[in-house]
Amino acid sequence: MQRTLHPDDFAQRYDLHSTAATLDRVSRWTVYGRLQALNIACDCGCDRPLTIAVNTAAEAIQVWCVIQACVAPKADLANHLNRCWQQRSRR
């Protein structure tokens, strides 16, 4: 049985709203620039929060990945990348 992932379900499960709200100024502009490059609707102004319009599950996952790249500890990101390479080499 396949379950359809709704963007709001993903955003709530991974708490995208509060994570995006707590980004520091530099991270907020970094995330904003990357989301713009991905053509995900977002807005960011000086001393204003980053707002993101997530319309699909794929966009929700992309937003989560971009935010994680800014807020996750670098060791966690490196471990994740190593696991991905190990899985790929097993194929």
Side-chain angles (χ1 to χ4, degrees):
M1 178 180 219
Q2 191 173 14
R3 181 175 180 263
T4 303
L5 179 64
H6 189 275
D8 289 338
D9 294 340
F10 186 89
Q12 288 173 352
R13 180 173 181 181
Y14 291 99
D15 202 11
L16 291 180
H17 303 295
S18 66
T19 303
T22 60
L23 291 172
D24 63 59
R25 186 176 294 184
V26 173
S27 296
R28 187 170 60 234
W29 282 104
T30 302
V31 169
Y32 173 73
R34 183 65 183 127
L35 295 178
Q36 289 279 299
L38 292 168
N39 292 318
I40 295 175
C42 56
D43 186 39
C44 188
C46 292
D47 297 321
R48 289 196 346 236
L50 171 64
T51 57
I52 307 165
V54 176
N55 298 308
T56 66
E59 285 182 352
I61 293 168
Q62 287 177 312
V63 169
W64 180 82
C65 289
V66 169
I67 292 172
Q68 288 305 301
C70 284
V71 301
K74 300 305 177 203
D76 290 353
L77 297 173
N79 289 336
H80 177 72
L81 185 59
N82 285 330
R83 284 192 307 272
C84 290
W85 280 108
Q86 289 170 0
Q87 288 177 352
R88 185 175 175 94
S89 66
R90 291 182 191 152
R91 291 183 186 179

